[in-house]
Amino acid sequence: MKCTTAQALVAWLIAQRSQTLDGREVPLFPAVFGIFGHGNVLGLGTALAERREEIPVWRGHTEEGMALAAVGLAKATQRRQVGIATSSIGPGALNMVTAAGVAHANRLPLLLLPGDTFVSRAPDPVLQQVEHFGDPTITVNDAFRPVSRYFDRITRPEQLLATLPQVARVLTDPADAGPVVLALPQDVQAEVYDFPDALFEPVVHHVPRPRPDRRSVAEAARLLRQAHRPLLVLGGGVRYSGAGERALEFALRHGIPVTETTAGRTLVPHEHPLYAGPLGVTGAASANTLAAEADVVLAVGTRLQDFTTASWTVFAPEVRLVHINTARFDAVKHGAFAVTGDADATLHDLEPELHDWLTDPEWTARAAAVRADWDAHIDKLRAPTPGEPRYAQIVGAVNELSGSSDYVMTASGGLPGELVGGWRAVGGTPTMDVEYGFSCMGYELAGAWGAAMAHPQGLVTTLLGDGSYLMLNSELFSAAFAGHPLVAVVCDNDGYAVIARLQEGQGARPFNNFYADCRTNHADPPRVDFAAHARALGCSVFTAGELGEFRDAYARARTAATVERRPAVVVVRTRPSTWTEAGAWWEVGVPQHLSGRAEYDRSKSGQLRYTRRS
């Protein structure tokens, strides 16, 4: 097929298919988010326009926002579909680097197609080009390299033949999934080449399920059979493998208490008899209590990052760690005994090795007992009080009014701790996206737009603070214009409250977080009218000042979003100083002269550096 490089790329994208966890065949690339400029409008833009009925293109209003929407889409489809974002060269491209970081940290597939400078160099310096005195091959797109799983600059049309199979490999690889960047010089986009027809034949990509080495499975079983107080930790890899049901059957068969990481949240129904709650800093005291007592931890599909492990202080010093992961990079962390394989396949192979082994019934029963204490604590935090509601009450109201197929999101500030620690899942299916790998302020709204596209069977609700809203709100208009319903709950507490808590909790003076502690030359500084702003972006808007008003406003917002097919925003004033605390430590650098240094030194001394293997 004789066509331009851009036409060939678009034809290949359309030909790629994927199989969902429930066996349906769907497009691997269901959506393109695009802002056009001179670097991509005539090459890639024309090619997309010619095939507009076959691959939907949605117009964004910030390059970062639309790339974050693509990330949210990938998470909501359990990594079975991939969003694409394209921009012109220069500032448009660089605006997407943050989204690439989000996808990289969270192991989520993302395809970025930034325009690039002319390979011919005839018009150098072209508009928006940054010149490097010592290396003319460098462009701003090289900034993507540290946050890409795969990066290529297409300088000849025929290079697509070699690079596109690698693009598909990375985007569908359970161990290597992440952002792919194809930098597209604008003259090469328009160059014609005679591509082989086979490049455009439909391909269905099945995410591989690598099986573990038999010897590692046998050794993992031996370590588990020696355990008196085992604990099962389920991470995002269990979600993406579709292994949630198998993991719970495994736990029930052997009586092992179960906990979740942030990425694995909502895999376990809240009322499950073995559920101890979510683990870590933003988790539950119940799960952290069991983790401190466990002698063997079976971690499945998790990166074991610092919030999950309380900066590696949540486990007992003598714990033995068995880690199942498709990525050996993750499986060997902290000296764990590594079992490299797909979560579902590995649990399937591990089960026969354990035979009829059972955990001590007293340890099994401990999960329900400690979680009951945590539930009682959350019930108290959720109970109605006069005045401005606390975050736990907001989360409780959203939880109670949401259905089993609805989807809830947040990303930064204090809300991840409230949502992870306090949410009560019903169906045991992945219905939560807490972006706490990169904790990107602004993901809450943009990611919700992508999730709404991918999650039509339920309503998406995203919770965010006033700081996140101000940082990136333009994709509210994108979603309103496109006709994608969602509910955004904006909690206004006068600034960056969670960082103020960290600052002041370590003994530092209040500075530059709450508005009252920021420098201003106004006697009466302006306040943001979030309701008016959201209304101006095309959203239905509801406001609330206390808990009863919020429940009513949120219920009406759900109806409005569904009926009007656009975002509905609930603006609510919230308390800036009441939080859900899991009682876990998080390591941050504390200067010697601050009062928090003593606790830092004490906790640091108990930090697990390396686990024992036998």
Side-chain angles (χ1 to χ4, degrees):
M1 186 170 79
K2 184 170 285 189
C3 59
T4 68
T5 304
Q7 288 171 324
L9 175 58
V10 170
W12 180 84
L13 293 171
I14 293 169
Q16 307 311 299
R17 310 287 292 175
S18 177
Q19 189 175 62
T20 63
L21 283 169
D22 58 6
R24 293 178 294 112
E25 186 180 311
V26 294
L28 179 62
F29 302 103
V32 179
F33 300 87
I35 294 177
F36 294 129
H38 70 91
N40 66 341
V41 66
L42 296 178
L44 187 59
T46 298
L48 288 168
E50 292 167 348
R51 308 292 294 269
R52 68 181 69 185
E53 300 303 321
E54 298 165 273
I55 185 166
V57 178
W58 303 100
R59 199 187 97 167
H61 292 86
T62 64
E63 292 87 358
E64 178 188 351
M66 65 187 190
L68 289 174
V71 175
L73 183 153
K75 180 73 173 282
T77 62
Q78 325 308 334
R79 300 198 305 200
R80 262 44 182 194
Q81 291 185 286
V82 183
I84 303 170
T86 180
S87 75
S88 189
I89 64 176
L94 287 179
N95 282 346
M96 299 194 295
V97 171
T98 297
V102 171
H104 197 291
N106 290 280
R107 317 290 170 83
L108 293 170
L110 169 68
L111 179 56
L112 298 178
L113 303 175
D116 213 328
T117 57
F118 284 77
V119 169
S120 71
R121 302 183 190 168
D124 282 13
V126 71
L127 178 67
Q128 298 179 316
Q129 180 176 346
V130 174
E131 296 178 275
H132 294 264
F133 294 1
D135 188 347
T137 67
I138 293 177
T139 78
V140 295
N141 285 336
D142 288 279
F144 282 105
R145 292 182 185 271
V147 287
S148 298
R149 288 286 191 180
Y150 186 83
F151 177 94
D152 196 6
R153 178 176 284 111
I154 306 302
T155 58
R156 293 290 305 151
E158 58 267 36
Q159 289 174 351
L160 288 182
L161 302 176
T163 204
L164 290 179
Q166 301 300 331
V167 170
R169 172 190 63 82
V170 173
L171 294 175
T172 59
D173 190 323
D176 202 32
V180 169
V181 178
L182 291 186
L184 302 173
Q186 59 177 298
D187 51 347
V188 178
Q189 290 180 46
E191 190 171 342
V192 173
Y193 182 77
D194 194 3
F195 291 91
D197 292 337
L199 180 65
F200 311 114
E201 292 176 357
V203 176
V204 180
H205 297 274
H206 302 275
V207 175
R209 293 189 179 277
R211 304 204 83 89
D213 178 78
R214 292 180 181 177
R215 291 170 299 180
S216 67
V217 173
E219 178 62 13
R222 185 187 72 81
L223 292 171
L224 280 171
R225 286 194 300 268
Q226 292 178 353
H228 300 286
R229 299 178 303 281
L231 183 66
L232 181 59
V233 179
L234 305 182
V238 177
R239 170 181 182 155
Y240 303 132
S241 172
E245 185 176 344
R246 188 180 299 279
L248 292 181
E249 290 175 356
F250 180 90
L252 282 170
R253 189 169 289 116
H254 302 291
I256 307 175
V258 183
T259 184
E260 302 165 309
T261 72
T262 298
R265 200 62 175 88
T266 69
L267 283 166
V268 187
H270 183 74
E271 297 302 326
H272 193 282
L274 292 174
Y275 185 46
L279 186 67
V281 178
T282 54
S286 52
N288 295 337
T289 295
L290 286 191
E293 299 172 1
D295 56 358
V296 175
V297 170
L298 177 59
V300 187
T302 169
R303 295 185 301 134
L304 292 175
Q305 57 112 301
D306 65 338
F307 261 72
T308 298
T309 63
S311 297
W312 287 94
T313 61
V314 76
F315 300 122
E318 295 300 312
V319 72
R320 287 181 292 184
L321 181 61
V322 179
H323 196 170
I324 297 171
N325 206 294
T326 53
R328 191 162 179 81
F329 176 89
D330 291 313
V332 302
K333 287 177 178 175
H334 284 261
F337 179 77
V339 185
T340 306
D342 170 76
D344 190 75
T346 302
L347 289 173
H348 174 273
D349 291 355
L350 180 60
E351 175 57 42
E353 297 286 336
L354 291 172
H355 307 296
D356 296 328
W357 170 74
L358 284 173
T359 307
D360 184 336
E362 290 188 10
W363 174 251
T364 299
R366 187 143 169 71
V370 293
R371 202 200 71 224
D373 292 340
W374 179 253
D375 286 350
H377 174 64
I378 295 296
D379 287 340
K380 290 180 181 178
L381 293 177
R382 286 184 173 189
T385 53
E388 296 175 348
R390 57 174 73 105
Y391 273 1
Q393 293 169 323
I394 297 295
V395 168
V398 172
N399 200 168
E400 291 167 13
L401 293 171
S402 295
S404 60
S405 61
D406 291 333
Y407 196 78
V408 64
M409 304 176 63
T410 193
S412 60
L415 281 163
E418 306 297 328
L419 200 59
V420 174
W423 190 265
R424 294 170 177 175
V426 178
T429 55
T431 53
M432 181 183 290
D433 177 4
V434 175
E435 196 290 286
Y436 228 40
F438 216 50
S439 187
C440 179
M441 295 180 70
Y443 175 79
E444 297 95 335
L445 293 175
W449 180 29
M453 293 184 188
H455 204 74
Q457 67 271 33
L459 184 63
V460 173
T461 294
T462 185
L463 297 95
L464 66 155
D466 49 315
S468 282
Y469 184 96
L470 288 173
M471 196 162 286
L472 188 62
N473 51 60
S474 54
E475 301 329 311
L476 272 178
F477 176 69
S478 301
F481 182 84
H484 294 120
L486 59 96
V487 177
V489 176
V490 180
C491 299
D492 183 5
N493 58 17
D494 277 342
Y496 303 140
V498 74
I499 294 300
R501 173 178 62 156
L502 175 63
Q503 182 183 58
E504 297 172 47
Q506 300 300 317
R509 296 175 58 187
F511 178 64
N512 211 49
N513 287 309
F514 284 121
Y515 293 137
D517 304 318
C518 297
R519 180 171 180 169
T520 178
N521 291 322
H522 295 281
D524 184 19
R527 291 294 306 273
V528 178
D529 188 337
F530 292 100
H533 188 272
R535 193 174 291 112
L537 292 177
C539 304
S540 300
V541 178
F542 304 87
T543 59
E546 52 87 27
L547 184 59
E549 293 175 353
F550 174 75
R551 290 181 61 88
D552 177 65
Y554 177 66
R556 289 188 291 132
R558 290 177 58 89
T559 300
T562 303
V563 172
E564 299 173 12
R565 308 300 297 174
R566 59 174 175 159
V569 176
V570 182
V571 180
V572 56
R573 291 282 299 176
T574 51
R575 298 184 194 180
S577 57
T578 306
W579 312 92
T580 300
E581 301 279 3
W585 181 66
W586 182 43
E587 182 174 0
V588 293
V590 181
Q592 290 281 354
H593 66 279
L594 295 183
S595 61
R597 181 66 191 208
E599 174 60 22
Y600 174 89
D601 291 336
R602 187 195 67 79
S603 297
K604 183 74 175 174
S605 66
Q607 197 170 45
L608 182 64
R609 302 295 296 173
Y610 211 77
T611 58
R612 64 190 185 97
R613 297 280 293 274
S614 61

